[in-house]
Amino acid sequence: MPVKLSVLDLAPIAPGESPADALAHTVRMARAADEAGYARVWYAEHHNMPTIASSATSVLIAHVAAHTERIRVGAGGIMLPNHSPLTIAEQFGTLGALHPGRIDLGLGRAPGGDRAVLAALRRSPTDSDRFPADVVELRDYLAGASRVPGVQSVPAASSADAVPLYILGSSLFGAQLAAALGLPYAFASHFAPAALHEAVRVYRDTFQPSDALSEPYVIAGVSVYADGDADAAAAQFATSRRRRVRGMIQRGPGARDYSDDEIDAFLLSPAGQQIAQMATYTAVGTPEEVREYLEAFALEARADELITVHGALDADDREQSLRLTAATAA
């Protein structure tokens, strides 16, 4: 049975690009995913990251949905501790009314930034403690069944423009919450692979059916570098990984640049190996090799759907990877 595929686009700002360039490429990727038959394309809330252009996630979703035809468009995810449930309900209720049947809302508990970002957002690290209650409050706003006396979200969802919720996570916490609420669960195995199998087991074993979902539904993240030439795909992966490592170790004023050889040597060190493990679930190679990997990974992860992250730095390479991956699904 073919693996159901979706796309997580981090809206990357490549070296030498402007944010406007990056956002134009994001629209292009979404259109390509729409044409290629992917189920959904998601964007994630990140703050204070010069290489990611998706901080205003709901704004980006509105723009992409207006420039695509069929594909579902959503958040993977909104970091709910950064917002009031009413604000997000109003934003996504509006998106659902504008694009009926095409909007998803994935919710995460992480702050999407460090303590300085939290302070700038006027939030506290303890806000994440309210995550389960905030998810329930948000769910009820979207359903037109507010638990807050005298307050309703406008527009609220109707059956035609309902916005389904997904719980995102990289630990057992999200798995337990998604199971308890009877919601679909998306695991961030594309960058935090360690707890994947245990989290999916806990979710499936403890799932409680709900009005939203009768059976457990798992989405697992996986990075993809597909190219007609296997060596080219491997080179794209190596270049992308070096850039990620540079972003992690080159911080603060006066930080020096590191050569590719120095980065490769660092990746062999104990600290570098910890970073390298983030790419545990990565498909690299020709379309056939990638497809074989994805099918095996879906079985291993007990995933109903895979959300693919096409990580090449060059926008043309990302789009080619996206199209080649989908082409082998037929």
Side-chain angles (χ1 to χ4, degrees):
M1 182 176 178
V3 179
K4 186 175 182 178
L5 296 178
S6 294
V7 176
L8 173 63
D9 186 351
L10 299 179
I13 305 173
E17 277 192 341
S18 69
D21 293 331
L23 292 171
H25 292 150
T26 290
V27 172
R28 200 175 84 191
M29 282 283 286
R31 285 175 168 168
D34 201 1
E35 294 168 3
Y38 285 86
R40 68 190 89 245
V41 57
W42 280 0
Y43 305 96
E45 177 186 347
H46 292 281
H47 298 284
N48 198 34
M49 300 186 72
T51 60
I52 295 180
S54 56
S55 57
T57 314
S58 58
V59 177
L60 181 57
I61 290 169
H63 183 66
V64 170
H67 287 80
T68 50
E69 299 294 332
R70 172 203 58 84
I71 195 167
R72 299 189 68 90
V73 186
I78 291 292
M79 301 299 107
L80 192 54
N82 295 340
H83 313 275
S84 74
L86 178 60
T87 296
I88 298 304
E90 290 172 340
Q91 290 177 6
F92 279 79
T94 301
L95 287 168
L98 289 170
H99 306 284
R102 294 186 56 212
I103 302 299
D104 295 333
L105 176 51
L107 299 170
R109 186 172 63 123
D114 56 19
R115 285 182 175 270
V117 167
L118 285 177
L121 290 170
R122 306 298 190 267
R123 312 302 288 181
S124 164
T126 61
D127 289 334
S128 61
D129 296 342
R130 296 197 311 268
F131 182 66
D134 283 354
V135 171
V136 171
E137 183 179 339
L138 171 56
R139 178 197 64 188
D140 291 347
Y141 280 137
L142 286 172
S146 172
R147 297 190 176 203
V148 182
V151 178
Q152 60 180 320
S153 175
V154 181
S158 68
S159 59
D161 53 39
V163 178
L165 298 186
Y166 297 75
I167 299 298
L168 278 56
S170 58
S171 69
L172 300 188
F173 181 91
Q176 293 165 339
L177 179 62
L181 296 179
L183 294 174
Y185 180 52
F187 191 90
S189 38
H190 60 289
F191 76 88
L196 169 64
H197 298 294
E198 181 65 7
V200 171
R201 184 193 66 77
V202 167
Y203 170 70
R204 288 192 175 279
D205 288 352
T206 62
F207 179 83
Q208 300 295 313
S210 69
D211 291 341
L213 194 65
S214 60
E215 297 180 348
Y217 192 86
V218 174
I219 302 175
V222 58
S223 297
V224 177
Y225 299 81
D227 193 282
D229 180 87
D231 290 339
Q236 293 165 14
F237 170 59
T239 300
S240 175
R241 183 167 66 167
R242 290 186 190 113
R243 188 194 186 208
R244 186 180 303 114
V245 172
R246 282 194 179 92
M248 292 179 176
I249 64 177
Q250 289 179 199
R251 294 181 180 275
R256 75 177 183 87
D257 195 11
Y258 291 84
S259 69
D260 287 349
D261 289 342
E262 287 176 312
I263 295 295
D264 289 340
F266 171 76
L267 285 168
L268 297 175
S269 70
Q273 283 293 296
Q274 292 182 350
I275 295 176
Q277 287 173 3
M278 295 171 65
T280 297
Y281 297 120
T282 301
V284 182
T286 64
E288 293 75 20
E289 291 170 332
V290 164
R291 190 66 192 184
E292 182 178 351
Y293 181 95
L294 295 180
E295 290 175 350
F297 173 63
L299 287 173
E300 175 191 345
R302 300 173 66 194
D304 301 288
E305 179 179 337
L306 299 181
I307 191 157
T308 58
V309 184
H310 299 267
L313 287 186
D314 182 80
D316 290 337
D317 289 338
R318 287 198 302 276
E319 183 177 342
Q320 176 179 249
S321 177
L322 182 151
R323 290 186 182 277
L324 290 175
T325 299
T328 62

